[in-house]
Every structure is written in C-alpha cells, then in structure tokens.
Amino acid sequence: MALGGAMLRTTLRLCTLSRRVRSASAASSASMSTLLISQGRYSWLQELGLREENEGVYNGSWGGRGEVVTTYCPANNQPIARVRQASIEDYEETLKKAKEAWKVWAEVPAPKRGEIVRQIGDALRKKINVLGNLVSLEMGKISAESVGEVQEYVDVCDYAVGLSRMIGGPVLPSERPGHALIEQWNPLGLVGIITAFNFPVAVYGWNNAIAMVCGNVCLWKGAPTTSLVSVAVTKIVAQVLEDNKLPGAICSLVCGGADIGKAMAKDERVDLLSFTGSTNVGKQVAMAVQERFGRSLLELGGNNAIIVFDDADLQLVIPSALFAAVGTAGQRCTTARRLFLHESIHDEVVEKLVKAYAQVRIGDPWDANTLYGPLHTEQAVKLYVDAVAQAKQQGGSVVYGGKVIDRPGNYVEPTIVTGLPHNAPIVQTETFVPILYVIKFKTEEEAFAWNNEVKQGLSSSIFTKDLGRIFRWLGPKGSDCGIVNVNIPTSGAEIGGAFGGNKHTGGGRESGSDSWKQYMRRSTCTKSQVHRVSTINYSKDLPLAQGIKFQ
C-alpha cells in the first residue's frame, strides 16, 4: 500500500478545479433521474446506508447546509449520487461538538479506547466487500485494490488495539537522590484529517485508529470527489460509537471544499492537522498551521524511482516495475515514475516490460478480471495528454501507450517513455498519471544521485544481489527517501512501518512504528506544555539539580 500526494490528489481547491463535482443546482433534471444509485445494478449501495441525496456532516447527528454536489463514476462519467456538503456554520458547530466529545473520550482508559477501535475494525470487516465496491465505483481503482484498501483500515485497527496497551513514557534515572524522572504522554485533543481521492478509506483509517487510541477525537474532511466513501465509512464508525453510548462527535465528518479546508488549517482549536495532498497545497497548509504555531502532519508528493543493476533478477524486476508504475492507474503517491536501468540491460528490460504492459487487462474497475482502471477525473486525462506531449518535445520516445483510450470514462494507455535525460523537466515533475520514464545509467554513484535529485523524497527501490551495494543504498550516502526498498517495488508499504517521506514530501509519518507520538504530547502530570518531563520527589529532602546549593 502506498499513500501520499501528487498534482491531482485532494487539494483545498479541488471542488473548484474538478468538473466532476457539480452543484445540484447546475445539474440537469435528466441527470438527476439517472443517478446510478437508483439503478438496480447498484442497489448494493443501500447496504452502506446511501441514498440519492446524502447528508455530508456528522457530529453525533447527520446534517449539512452547504452546497449539494454530485459525484461521478470515473469508468463511465455517470452520476452516482449527491452529497450535501458542510457550510462554515456546520463546521463551527461540528468542531464545538467534537471538542465537547473529547472531554468524554479523554477520560476513557486507553485499553478501553482500544476496544472501541477493535469494534470499528470488526464492523469494517463485515462491510469490506461492499465498501470496496464503492471505492471502485467512485474512485476508479480496481476491485482487488479497493478491498485491500479497506483491509488496511481493518489492519490498522488491529495494530492500534495492541498499541492501546503499550503507550507510555520511560522512567529515567535522576541525578538527585530520592527522585524519579518520568515522561508522560497525553493526547493532543482534536485531530483534523484531510484526505485524498486516491486512498479515500485507508488514509483516514491510518490517522483515525491511531489518533483514537491515543485519546484524540477526529474531524475528517475527505476529497469532494469521493464524498460517498466518506459518508459510508462514517456511518460504519458512528454505529459503533452509538452502540457503546459514546458521543458520535468523537469521529466527526465535514464534507466540503476549499472553505472548510482553509478553516481547518487556520483554526487554533485543531491541535494537529493531518493533510494528504499535493506538495503545492501542502505548502499552503503548512504555512497556515505554522502561522498559528500549530502541528501539521504532511503526506505530499512522490517522484519515485526504481534502480535496476546489471546483476538484478529480472524475474523480480518486470512484475515489480509493472505493478509500481501501472497499479491504481499511476495514481499512488508511491507510484514508480522513473526507472533507471544499467546500460548493459536497458534494451532487454524495456523489451520485456513492453510485452508485460501489453498483457495488462483494462476495463471496468469492479470487474474481478480487470488489472487497470480509469483515471479519477477528466482533468487527469488532460494532464496525461500534456505530459506525453512534453516528453516528446523534450526528446523522449513513446515505446508503449501514449494515447487516450476511445471508450466511455477516463481511460488512458499505460505509457513507457525512453530516451530522456535524467534531468529533463518532465522527468523532474511528478505527474499523477501512468507514465514511466526509463533512463540509462552507468555507475552506482550516478544512479543514487539521480534518485535523490528530485525535490520529493517518498519511496525508492533498487534491484541488485550485491550485499555491499544494498547497505550503501540503505546508508547515509544512499537513498534520501522515507521508504527505502531492496528487490521490491516502490509501492506496497506495510502498516507496521511508519509511512511517509522527506523533503517536499512533507516529513510526515503515519501508521506504524512510533508514529503514534505525533498524535500526543510529552507533558507534565498536570498536562502543561509540550516536551516537558515530570520529576517526582518522594523523599523528605530537597536536593537541587547540578548540585546547586540554595540556602
């Protein structure tokens, strides 16, 4: 699994950029009557509690007084259903209810919070296939990937349950007799979560499960173009909270666009803002949060590379490169966009890769036989066309693909481009579409340098059998990315390891390892400021630190 940002991932401006999110007032009465949800083939959507028009605000009760938007199926560009978004008034009301809910949630012992998260995981398990079908329908990724994405939320819930009994700070040796030095970790309070269209379930799950066991409440704004997924997931979570007689606002939802996103970034009551999206918008978010001295967790762009040396096992290389470049139609933040091949094997690998691309089954994403579905939006198709044109203008040769597919929906051919220099402008640009730039290299030094020369630093891979090279790749002069792989593709990260990247990728870390610390603060027992420790004197004397005498 891989998540993170790109040019087309959810931005605070998405509702104004995307032609696929249209106001109900602008939609014709004809389109209103042909919503997919009203057709028998899609009656399963009702199993998720969805209707023709859905309320997009949840804070213990459902509502919404903002714009009504229609979401569309990328496979045919037909309208699915409508969602009423949050107004600023809805946001304000929801945030206040979430803050009140925190007073209840923070008093629940961490292991019992873990029990609630366990129940959320179980509830998701029961809906895993139907929720996966919705992801395929509204986002466009193939069925196997969509179900796998829901599985990630389930897995993170399991991970968080264990974590709920392990959160703790050390008791450290004190230099003063009869003293103990203790680190205490406390919840931040309210975690705002802004997620992207390409992983509309998993990214929320990563943040939500960990934040909850840490004692935080969550306020979620999903991508406008996947609003139905946001509503469906929240309904599942809300039922668990209701069954346990807990405030629903613990996991609040505010579907919306730029106005809601900006409000969250500027709001001092949002103790941590987790943003997944493009680097450009992430920079704006970071500045807005930093201006109020808030905390942000950023998962942004990734111009990822695979390096293949002359001793590599090509039986591993070909399927790895194929999945990394073509999976999710190139719309993963960990998608491989650059493939560096040693000059001695360049032609052989390209030939094998072209043959592999030709076998990719393209079709409806909910068809179990499909390996490659549509791009998410019509705007993505335009970016694809523009990028192919730029690659040709800069000296590249399209050896496979390069064209829009003539069929309903946002389908383009997975594309391989050769002949470009490593520093060509288009190679240095992350375009969130399935275009792979293949580049020759001669030495290990230049390959490592080329991997690191882009502004992003998310995921990277090498294929080699040289043990020394592997450790150089993992060492201080190797990859500068947050995810450094050996003999596996750039995508497919596991939930047990902290996910995130460096440089323009934002520096955030989500999911496993010690990422839970981002959702908490080190504090004194009286919950004062960040990064302080508690020293407890259990003796009858008052020795001072550093041997100071004050008598």
Side-chain angles (χ1 to χ4, degrees):
M1 155 65 208
L3 315 162
M7 293 177 65
L8 276 182
R9 300 176 65 198
T10 301
T11 71
L12 301 182
R13 301 172 295 180
L14 185 55
C15 64
T16 59
L17 291 177
S18 176
R19 292 166 54 195
R20 292 178 63 252
V21 177
R22 309 170 189 171
S23 68
S25 60
S28 67
S29 58
S31 67
M32 295 279 187
S33 62
T34 57
L35 294 172
L36 294 183
I37 196 171
S38 65
Q39 300 176 20
R41 180 183 177 187
Y42 303 98
S43 60
W44 52 267
L45 289 167
Q46 297 171 20
E47 297 177 37
L48 294 167
L50 299 176
R51 306 184 300 270
E52 287 194 8
E53 184 165 319
N54 302 273
E55 295 166 314
V57 176
Y58 179 74
N59 51 34
S61 60
W62 289 91
R65 292 165 286 185
E67 179 186 24
V68 176
V69 303
T70 303
T71 68
Y72 290 77
C73 173
N76 52 34
N77 282 325
Q78 293 181 21
I80 305 170
R82 302 186 296 273
V83 179
R84 184 172 291 279
Q85 308 285 286
S87 65
I88 289 297
E89 292 74 21
D90 292 323
Y91 166 78
E92 183 67 26
E93 177 184 311
T94 300
L95 190 138
K96 288 179 179 178
K97 288 187 176 181
K99 282 289 190 180
E100 286 299 312
W102 179 77
K103 296 176 183 178
V104 175
W105 187 240
E107 292 295 323
V108 177
K112 292 187 177 180
R113 296 195 296 256
E115 165 60 17
I116 302 303
V117 172
R118 184 194 66 78
Q119 293 179 34
I120 291 173
D122 284 347
L124 289 163
R125 279 185 179 93
K126 295 175 182 177
K127 299 284 188 181
I128 191 167
N129 289 315
V130 68
L131 188 55
N133 286 340
L134 174 59
V135 174
S136 291
L137 184 68
E138 191 176 37
M139 183 273 152
K141 67 176 59 175
I142 64 172
S143 178
E145 290 184 308
S146 296
V147 172
E149 179 179 348
V150 183
Q151 184 66 51
E152 280 204 45
Y153 194 170
V154 172
D155 292 344
V156 172
C157 285
D158 288 346
Y159 179 91
V161 173
L163 178 63
S164 69
R165 292 184 177 273
M166 298 172 63
I167 294 171
V171 178
L172 303 168
S174 172
E175 67 181 66
R176 292 174 285 183
H179 285 60
L181 202 62
I182 299 173
E183 284 189 2
Q184 170 98 13
W185 289 87
N186 289 310
L188 291 172
L190 189 150
V191 175
I193 305 168
I194 299 177
T195 59
F197 77 82
N198 62 335
F199 281 89
V201 175
V203 172
Y204 175 65
W206 285 6
N207 286 273
N208 171 254
I210 304 296
M212 285 185 72
V213 297
C214 288
N216 302 294
V217 297
C218 298
L219 179 64
W220 181 21
K221 189 194 91 67
T225 51
T226 53
S227 292
L228 292 174
V229 172
S230 300
V231 171
V233 169
T234 300
K235 285 182 179 290
I236 293 171
V237 174
Q239 188 61 56
V240 173
L241 296 174
E242 181 180 327
D243 291 346
N244 286 274
K245 296 180 172 54
L246 288 165
I250 290 171
C251 295
S252 296
L253 173 70
V254 281
C255 292
D259 55 342
I260 302 300
K262 289 178 180 177
M264 293 173 71
K266 294 180 179 180
D267 199 327
E268 292 189 355
R269 296 168 296 179
V270 176
D271 299 289
L272 170 69
L273 183 60
S274 175
F275 174 83
T276 301
S278 71
T279 296
N280 289 338
V281 177
K283 186 180 297 184
Q284 298 173 33
V285 169
M287 292 175 65
V289 174
Q290 182 58 43
E291 189 174 31
R292 60 179 175 85
F293 290 100
R295 285 193 184 190
S296 61
L297 193 167
L298 303 174
E299 296 287 357
L300 310 177
N303 194 351
N304 313 294
I306 294 176
I307 303 172
V308 183
F309 288 90
D310 53 355
D311 64 341
D313 182 347
L314 298 190
Q315 290 186 334
L316 290 177
V317 169
I318 302 305
S320 295
L322 179 70
F323 173 68
V326 171
T328 323
Q331 296 169 113
R332 289 176 176 241
C333 56
T334 52
T335 291
R337 310 201 183 279
R338 300 175 295 150
L339 177 61
F340 297 118
L341 301 176
H342 189 270
E343 59 183 2
S344 66
I345 60 169
H346 175 275
D347 294 350
E348 180 184 0
V349 172
V350 169
E351 181 182 355
K352 291 179 181 294
L353 200 56
V354 166
K355 290 179 179 178
Y357 267 55
Q359 298 175 43
V360 173
R361 297 187 298 274
I362 301 172
D364 293 338
W366 49 86
D367 184 333
N369 293 317
T370 298
L371 292 178
Y372 175 93
L375 293 178
H376 185 56
T377 63
E378 295 170 343
Q379 285 69 37
V381 175
K382 185 179 185 303
L383 283 178
Y384 168 87
V385 171
D386 290 346
V388 170
Q390 290 180 51
K392 291 178 179 178
Q393 291 168 3
Q394 294 169 25
S397 299
V398 176
V399 297
Y400 189 89
K403 299 185 292 296
V404 175
I405 298 174
D406 184 15
R407 59 175 291 168
N410 307 318
Y411 288 87
V412 301
E413 294 178 336
T415 299
I416 302 172
V417 177
T418 62
L420 285 167
H422 66 94
N423 57 355
I426 192 62
V427 175
Q428 296 285 308
T429 302
E430 180 196 29
T431 308
F432 218 53
V433 294
I435 302 177
L436 180 65
Y437 305 107
V438 182
I439 298 162
K440 292 181 182 180
F441 74 89
K442 294 182 179 180
T443 67
E444 174 185 306
E445 290 74 17
E446 68 180 5
F448 287 7
W450 293 355
N451 174 80
N452 296 345
E453 71 182 355
V454 296
K455 292 183 177 181
Q456 303 86 352
L458 180 53
S459 187
S460 55
S461 298
I462 63 167
F463 283 80
T464 183
K465 297 173 184 176
D466 186 324
L467 191 59
R469 178 180 291 136
I470 289 171
F471 279 94
R472 289 192 293 273
W473 171 246
L474 301 175
K477 294 183 179 180
S479 173
D480 65 359
C481 295
I483 301 172
V484 185
N485 297 313
V486 177
N487 294 328
I488 59 171
T490 53
S491 50
E494 299 182 29
I495 61 112
F499 179 90
N502 305 319
K503 303 188 296 188
H504 285 212
T505 301
R509 293 295 186 276
E510 294 173 328
S511 192
S513 186
D514 65 347
S515 62
W516 62 269
K517 292 181 179 179
Q518 295 181 101
Y519 301 92
M520 304 193 82
R521 57 185 173 89
R522 287 193 184 108
S523 65
T524 65
C525 294
T526 55
K527 298 182 181 177
S528 69
Q529 297 178 0
V530 177
H531 293 298
R532 297 179 65 180
V533 295
S534 172
T535 305
I536 299 174
N537 181 6
Y538 55 86
S539 73
K540 295 181 180 180
D541 301 318
L542 188 65
L544 301 179
Q546 291 83 45
I548 294 174
K549 303 292 184 181
F550 195 78
Q551 296 173 333

